[in-house]
Amino acid sequence: MSMKSGFRRISQVLLATCAMAAVSSALAEAGRASPQPGAMSDTDVADKVDTLLAKMTDEEKAGQLSQYFYFSQFPPLAQKVDKEIAAGRAGAVLFTTDPKLVNRAQKIAVEQTRLKIPLLFGFDVIHGFHTIFPAPLGMAASWDPAMVEQAQSVAAAEARAVGMHWTFAPMVDITLDPRWGRIFEGAGEDPYLGAAMAAAQVRGFQGRHIGAPGHIIAGPKHFAGYGAAMGGRDYDEAEISENQLHNLYLPPFKAAIDAGAGNIMSAYMALNGVPATADHWLLTDVLRRQWGFKGWVVSDSGAVNSLVTHGVASDGAEAALKAIKAGTNMEMIPPGQNANMVSLPAAIAAGKLSRTELDAMVRPILAAKFRMGLFENPYVDEAKAKTVFDDPKHALAARITAERSAVLLRNEGNLLPLDHAKLKSIAVIGPLADSARDLMGSWVFPMNSPSGKSVLAGLREKLGTKVAVAYAEGVQIPQRVNPSPFGTLDGTNKKREPIDETAGVAQAVAIARQSDVAVLVLGESQDMSGEMASRATFELPGRQRELLDAVVATGKPVVLLLTSVRPLTIFDSKAAAILDLWYPGSQGADAAVNLLFGDAVPGGKLPISWLRSASQAPMTYARLPSHAPADAFKRYQEGSNEPAWPFGFGLSYTTFRYSDLKVTTPKVAPGHSVTVTVNLENSGKRTGDEVAQLYLHQKVGGSSRPVRQLKGFQRVTLKPSEKRALRFTITPADLSYWSDITKEQVQDESAFDVWIGGDSLASLAGTFEVAK
């Protein structure tokens, strides 16, 4: 959800690795809800909705189309919303997570309005609620949809326990430009991986059906094309070709809809000149008519009112009319703005909108309330939340997820894992080494009582008195020039006392020289990623690179732990080991320590191409051949534009060998599947995970096709010397694409190259042919 305008107004108003069986079992238990009754039938829901609609006035119907920020901790803002609820002019609220206050607001709706229609309560449950999981991009790096599904099931259980019914997640925007801050919330650059993660998160949030106990409604966002913001600048417009829109940006949304998502959030930026919230083609032709979406569309924050700003509506009344006619059901209203949907009854009286059109917009909102059981039981058990929060299985799930999401980028001389039995001293260095909050990332709020610890605390707890642990902050991460809009609510906008960084670097060097190994925790602070957090550079912020180079120059072994979601420019550093933690969440410190000492083995893979610098963006491994494919990495005169590490890359503490790739169906007719097998062997000395990835290239077609495209993956665990035969099925859908020539999905007759390996540069190859 996009809340810059809302938070700005608030400030103005207030001045304000285990065996896989054990892993799967632990995660499944952590995400399991109580036995679920069957979902309400479509017929029953339709009957209840029709009966209620028949009793409603036009004003009451329009009231269901408004959602207000309900900052109950700020009385002046809450009192205004209370009046709207009591008047029947609110269908939903968001951002109140205190069960007592949830019940208080719900009581107004249920007891003070004529028809006693309950509210929907929403919240941004992005990567956890009380128990914080890794950043969604980090979870995508696990290449483990089943694990991600269970993680979001835990998040849903905690949110539902405080009275939430709906999350503005998952964010399924694909982006090729890591300068964009909201890459934090997505699955990276690839639509196949992105679709798998989108579907998994929807299943995790919603359970088996909308209304399942312990689950909430999923609201994939931002429909559509937000990840293509010009220059990677959050809030800028997006210009996307039909080819890219259909083949790159829309597939994860389609996967989320197919998984049963009950809600969609429209983007607020202009897509090819048309604001998405008023785009009939996008919200009606594609979403509802082509894909069969039956839920409701909520605007991004202030996006209906922004139609006036965009210049496509003259006032709020026209904005509401255009949004409704395009297919936007509900308006999200930031603090300080008035509702626009309340003008719809006047539009009906003026003959600009039919009552049938209004009913169609209200119907799916009421249906969601019936499916969630809110008419029978609108209130939340205020004592339940603590029991759910304190479930130890949630912390276990978060730790396992963080361990499985980490990506080992470098491990020269097998420095990792460290042997604490041989260590006498360790230097822990960096501005993020003693920060528990920065490990959790953005979209984490104090009212939900998140907890965690720093890497420094985790190491001291692990090593006790057996190993001397010295610490130096070294340098600070400079505060943002343009502050985060979340600072007021997050409490992280406090000015820090500056330190003498030159002396700090000298202190870090001194303790490194006195220690057996140095562990540096560097990267971006949590407010440097997320909404309104785009960056123009991938350099380590502040003087962190100077600190890193100075410690490396001591000659002591250096392990670099990274916290960020961008491909920071560190490939040319001399650190012997680099482990990317992303933002690992509540249990990130324990996960990092387990990975450092081999109690867990890294198996994550990059869901993005790790660019050398921001000048390379946007970029994707799945580029078109162009007329000069041999020079693909010679496009800049200064040097190579090849990524530092390719999409899908990730090392382990063991090694793997691929062999004997076979295409069992070397020639098939269009519409038929192709089967490919390969042998995978753990050729090292430790049990570890490998993500086997299958890539395709269509040699000839009506359109130029990418040099490689991911079309299959499997994460497997192998013991030393264990070999396993893997089987991949390539479906007709995998072999088709949307054609800019025919304006539809096509499957060409063609020969195909197929590769299987550990990243997008896999060399083990085969071929097959699709022909009549």
Side-chain angles (χ1 to χ4, degrees), residues 348-635:
I348 291 176
K352 297 179 181 179
L353 181 73
S354 71
R355 189 162 287 112
T356 299
E357 289 176 303
L358 178 60
D359 287 355
M361 292 293 102
V362 179
R363 184 170 278 107
I365 297 169
L366 297 178
K369 295 181 178 185
F370 279 113
R371 291 189 186 279
M372 293 296 290
L374 299 183
F375 286 89
E376 295 78 17
N377 185 17
Y379 302 113
V380 60
D381 180 349
E382 296 177 12
K384 184 178 180 180
K386 187 177 188 308
T387 300
V388 176
F389 287 4
D390 290 344
D391 189 335
K393 294 188 294 295
H394 291 193
L396 174 62
R399 178 178 61 76
I400 293 172
T401 303
E403 290 169 355
R404 291 171 65 79
S405 299
V407 179
L408 183 62
L409 297 173
R410 179 185 297 164
N411 196 22
E412 293 178 357
N414 293 320
L415 174 59
L416 295 179
L418 301 174
D419 186 348
H420 61 78
K422 296 181 179 179
L423 281 180
K424 294 182 179 179
S425 57
I426 184 171
V428 184
I429 297 167
L432 298 172
D434 195 24
S435 173
R437 177 62 187 89
D438 285 305
L439 287 187
M440 290 189 274
S442 61
W443 292 107
V444 176
F445 298 101
M447 63 272 205
N448 301 328
S449 303
S451 62
K453 57 185 159 186
S454 68
V455 171
L456 176 63
L459 280 167
R460 283 176 170 165
E461 184 177 296
K462 171 80 172 183
L463 299 174
T465 59
K466 297 179 181 179
V467 178
V469 178
Y471 163 68
E473 181 181 14
V475 301
Q476 290 183 329
I477 295 179
Q479 291 184 300
R480 293 171 41 155
V481 174
N482 298 311
S484 168
F486 294 89
T488 298
L489 290 178
D490 192 288
T492 58
N493 58 349
K494 299 176 182 177
K495 188 174 182 179
R496 298 186 300 268
E497 290 297 323
I499 65 171
D500 183 340
E501 294 187 329
T502 300
V505 171
Q507 180 190 12
V509 167
I511 68 168
R513 284 179 175 150
Q514 297 166 7
S515 302
D516 295 331
V517 64
V519 174
L520 277 76
V521 189
L522 307 178
E524 297 177 320
S525 57
Q526 59 83 22
D527 65 336
M528 297 185 74
S529 292
E531 185 170 350
M532 200 183 171
S534 298
R535 285 191 70 201
T537 174
F538 295 159
E539 299 297 327
L540 282 167
R543 296 174 66 179
Q544 290 184 92
R545 183 55 188 266
E546 177 187 344
L547 173 67
L548 172 61
D549 291 344
V551 174
V552 169
T554 66
K556 291 300 179 80
V558 171
V559 178
L560 171 58
L561 300 181
L562 284 177
T563 65
S564 78
V565 290
R566 289 190 179 87
L568 298 176
T569 304
I570 44 82
F571 72 97
D572 58 343
S573 80
K574 302 302 182 183
I578 302 175
L579 182 63
D580 188 12
L581 301 175
W582 312 100
Y583 294 99
S586 294
Q587 295 294 312
D590 286 343
V593 172
N594 286 346
L595 289 162
L596 283 173
F597 290 98
D599 296 317
V601 177
K605 301 279 189 172
L606 292 177
I608 55 173
S609 300
W610 194 284
L611 307 187
R612 293 168 181 258
S613 72
S615 65
Q616 293 177 279
M619 177 184 276
T620 176
Y621 80 94
R623 65 187 183 279
L624 296 180
S626 79
H627 70 282
D631 295 331
F633 296 129
K634 301 177 182 178
R635 304 299 196 214

